Amino acid sequence: MTTTTSPWVIATRESRLALWQARHVQALLQQRFGRTVELLGMTTRGDQILDRTLSKVGGKGLFVKELEVALEEGRAHLAVHSLKDVPMDLPAGFLLAAVLEREDPRDAFVSPRYASLEELPPQAVVGTSSLRRMVQLRALRPDLRIEPLRGNLDTRLRKLDEGRYDAIVLAAAGLMRLGLAERIRTRFEPDRMIPAAGQGALGIEIRADQAELRERLAGLVDRPTWLAVHAERAVSRALGGSCSVPLAAHAVWQDGQLRLSTAIGHPERADAPLLKAAASGPVADTAQAEALGVAAAQQLREQGADGYLQHG
C-alpha cells in the first residue's frame, strides 16, 4: 500500500525506449504530486526471445507479465507500458489507471536508400515484427519481400544499417521519443496503414486494490486519448484478438465525433483480401467508446473475419 511518505516505484522494461517512457511518467508524477518516484528495471520474456515472432511464443503479454509480478508482490506500485503492447484483457487484480496524451500514432517508413514505400524496387526486403504491418504492406505492395524483424528499436535500426533490409517499418512515436525522428523518411497516413490499437499512447497499470493510487492517477488521464483507445481496444476484444491476429484499429476525433477505422488480414494466406470497416458517433464515456469498437468488429465479422480468426 502507498503511504504519504514512501516512494512510488515504477516497474519498467530496460530497453532505451521503455526507460524513456518510465522516466517521462516519473517526472510527471514528481511534478504533480511532489513524491519521490523510483524505477525498478526488469527484463521480460519478450525482451529475451528474439529469434521468433511474438505470435509464435505467446504474444504481447510477454512484455508485461514480469512487471505485473512485481506489482503483485508489492515491489512496484505501477507499471508503464506502451499501450499497444498491453493485452486487451488484463489479468484479474490489475487495471489500467491512466492513459496519457497520445504521441504521433502513425507508422514510419525508415530506409537509408529509399524515400518511400513507392520507391522500393520489386522484391525489396522490408522488415517488421508486426503481423498487422505485414498484411497491410502486402496489400499496398504485393511484390515486396516482408521479413521478420525482432529486437528493441536500436537493434532494429542496426540491422537495417547493416544492409539486412532495404527498409523497415516502425512506430513513429518510439523514434520521436528517442530523438530519432530524422530517421523517418515518410509517415504512413492512417488511411493507408491503420495503426495498432493504442499505438503512440502510454498506459499506467496498477493493482486493482490500490484505490488511493488509482484516484490520484486519474488526474493524469488524457480524456480524448482515453476514449479513443477504449474504442480501439474493444475491436480486438470483440474479435478475441491476440498478437497472432493481424488487426488494426485507430480512432480520431472529428467534429465532436469519434471515427474508428479498422482492418484485419489473414495471418497465413497472402492472397486473402484485407477486410476494412469504420464506425463513428458521439462518444462521451468508455461504454459508448467500447460500443463503437463492437460495432466495427461486427462489420468485420459480416465481411468474413471469423474465417481469418480461426487461424490466429
Side-chain angles (χ1 to χ4, degrees), residues 12-296:
T12 175
R13 293 163 59 198
E14 293 185 299
S15 74
R16 200 155 69 93
L17 181 57
L19 286 170
W20 183 97
Q21 294 170 172
R23 288 176 184 133
H24 178 68
V25 173
Q26 179 185 35
L28 270 179
L29 293 174
Q30 288 177 161
Q31 182 182 8
R32 179 73 63 95
F33 302 110
R35 290 283 291 262
T36 302
V37 182
E38 299 172 352
L39 301 186
L40 173 64
M42 309 181 74
T43 301
T44 69
R45 288 279 287 153
D47 296 307
Q48 294 167 337
I49 302 172
L50 298 176
D51 58 342
R52 284 160 287 168
T53 59
L54 286 180
S55 56
K56 300 278 196 297
V57 292
K60 296 178 179 181
L62 291 175
F63 288 126
V64 301
K65 179 64 183 167
E66 282 87 349
L67 308 188
E68 287 170 344
V69 170
L71 294 179
E72 197 165 37
E73 294 175 349
R75 291 182 288 130
H77 301 91
L78 54 152
V80 175
H81 307 296
S82 176
L83 194 56
K84 70 180 174 62
D85 292 334
V86 178
M88 298 308 148
D89 291 304
L90 296 179
F94 298 94
L95 57 82
L96 201 58
V99 174
L100 308 185
E101 183 177 1
R102 185 163 8 208
E103 178 56 91
D104 188 340
R106 292 175 292 180
D107 288 304
F109 177 86
V110 181
S111 173
R113 294 176 58 199
Y114 302 99
S116 68
L117 189 71
E118 291 70 35
E119 280 196 13
L120 288 172
Q123 297 303 307
V125 178
V126 180
T128 175
S129 60
S130 157
L131 286 174
R132 172 192 63 83
R133 291 183 183 126
M134 218 170 277
V135 297
Q136 293 191 85
L137 284 167
R138 203 178 283 139
L140 291 169
R141 287 286 308 268
D143 58 313
L144 298 176
R145 285 172 48 206
I146 315 297
E147 299 288 346
L149 173 68
R150 287 292 316 280
N152 62 39
L153 199 63
D154 293 310
T155 300
R156 295 181 196 196
L157 289 169
R158 189 191 75 242
K159 289 177 178 177
L160 172 69
D161 293 339
E162 287 171 355
R164 300 195 213 177
Y165 304 87
D166 295 300
I168 61 178
V169 180
L170 302 168
L175 291 162
M176 293 167 73
R177 284 170 174 147
L178 290 184
L180 296 169
E182 77 280 353
R183 296 298 304 258
I184 300 173
R185 300 298 296 270
T186 53
R187 290 171 169 83
F188 291 93
E189 291 307 318
D191 59 350
R192 292 191 73 224
M193 173 98 71
I194 301 173
Q199 187 158 317
L202 298 183
I204 301 176
E205 182 183 10
I206 64 171
R207 289 202 321 268
D209 61 5
Q210 294 176 293
E212 180 201 341
L213 182 57
R214 182 183 188 179
E215 201 174 299
R216 292 191 176 205
L217 293 175
L220 297 180
V221 171
D222 179 70
R223 191 147 183 83
T225 304
W226 177 259
L227 294 174
V229 300
H230 270 78
E232 295 163 7
R233 288 167 65 80
V235 180
S236 185
R237 194 177 295 112
L239 293 172
S242 69
C243 201
S244 59
V245 177
L247 180 67
H250 180 60
V252 293
W253 291 94
Q254 290 179 340
D255 303 321
Q257 295 204 334
L258 193 61
R259 177 170 175 75
L260 175 64
S261 301
T262 65
I264 189 169
H266 198 289
E268 293 162 8
R269 276 182 41 213
D271 62 329
L274 193 66
L275 308 180
K276 291 190 172 187
S280 61
V283 168
D285 54 33
T286 54
Q288 289 181 329
E290 289 173 357
L292 202 65
V294 171

